Amino acid sequence: MSYEFCVFKPSYSADRDVLREAWNHDKYWAPSLPDSDRSAPKWRTKDLLMGLDERLCLKEPEAPKTGLLGLIAKWFSKPARVVPYLFAYFDDDEAQTSFHVFDEAIEISLPWDSPNVDAEKLVRAVWRHLEQLSAAGWSAIYDTERDVLLDLARDMDAVTARYRENLGPVDEDDASPGAGDSTAKATKATKAAPKARPKGDKPFTGNVD
């Protein structure tokens, strides 16, 4: 199971009930322009994120078909699905942390199938992004797992502990010395045939009722 944060644009009220309502009812989806509109605020947010970490990769949006191809597609194909977010990720061959970038919010998901022993490392990597986003004014951060406003100064240990619970018990092979090769092979196999959720750019629906 993953762990997700929802980071809201600076104009959002830093109130837990407001953020929970926005998260639970996807209130930042409707006002978010299509990913193909490069004038949308999400593109500037994407630039901010990628400036914070050179490992971050962007899945380029599919360009809309134009001309004759567009006309044919309009006649014979289903209407194109409007995607209101950009999908970015960093993938270190062991796990994938993903960013769904909307115009008014960023959903950040920790990996679903990471070894339990890697939980602290993955949380620390995301924490750096959260701190930098907070410094840039994106300080309304909703912890969807614990249903609280995230306190970056105090909550890392609590988040790491909860993420470990979500990942399940420690695998003895992962915890043993020299298990790196077998862990990597197991992870690659999981990526090839995912169990709980395939990797990709479909947003996580959340764990809070």
Side-chain angles (χ1 to χ4, degrees):
M1 195 177 198
S2 182
Y3 196 114
E4 185 163 355
F5 309 98
C6 197
V7 186
F8 291 88
K9 69 178 184 177
S11 60
Y12 258 80
S13 169
D15 177 273
R16 187 194 65 168
D17 292 339
V18 171
L19 302 187
R20 180 204 288 139
E21 177 80 3
W23 160 260
N24 281 340
H25 298 284
D26 298 330
K27 289 192 171 182
Y28 46 86
W29 279 67
S32 195
L33 297 171
D35 60 352
S36 57
D37 186 344
R38 291 181 179 257
S39 68
K42 64 173 68 64
W43 283 92
R44 295 189 291 277
T45 305
K46 180 271 300 181
D47 290 340
L48 170 64
L49 286 169
M50 298 189 79
L52 300 178
D53 194 326
E54 62 183 12
R55 295 178 302 152
L56 200 62
C57 305
L58 174 70
K59 180 181 178 183
E60 284 289 342
E62 192 172 321
K65 294 181 175 66
T66 58
L68 181 59
L69 288 177
L71 194 58
I72 293 172
K74 184 177 181 180
W75 285 343
F76 298 105
S77 303
K78 293 180 180 179
R81 183 172 69 98
V82 176
V83 179
Y85 55 82
L86 296 172
F87 178 69
Y89 61 95
F90 53 83
D91 192 336
D92 60 6
D93 237 3
E94 294 178 3
Q96 185 186 76
T97 297
S98 62
F99 298 74
H100 292 89
V101 186
F102 296 80
D103 288 342
E104 297 183 352
I106 309 164
E107 296 178 358
I108 303 177
S109 301
L110 288 165
W112 282 72
D113 56 3
S114 174
N116 187 298
V117 292
D118 288 343
E120 183 176 355
K121 176 184 71 173
L122 293 166
V123 171
R124 285 188 180 279
V126 164
W127 218 261
R128 289 194 294 272
H129 282 75
L130 294 174
E131 288 174 337
Q132 290 166 320
L133 284 168
S134 181
W138 294 67
S139 56
I141 305 173
Y142 180 54
D143 181 333
T144 71
E145 286 291 322
R146 298 184 303 127
D147 188 27
V148 296
L149 285 177
L150 195 67
D151 185 336
L152 291 170
R154 301 181 179 181
D155 287 356
M156 185 184 289
D157 289 344
V159 167
T160 302
R162 181 65 172 270
Y163 182 40
R164 283 199 174 108
E165 288 178 17
N166 287 358
L167 291 174
V170 175
D171 188 307
E172 291 183 5
D173 291 337
D174 293 341
S176 63
D181 291 341
S182 60
T183 299
K185 289 177 183 176
T187 304
K188 288 180 180 178
T190 304
K191 287 188 176 185
K195 296 178 182 178
R197 169 183 180 259
K199 289 187 176 9
D201 60 352
K202 185 177 180 182
F204 179 40
T205 56
N207 300 318
V208 175
D209 293 336

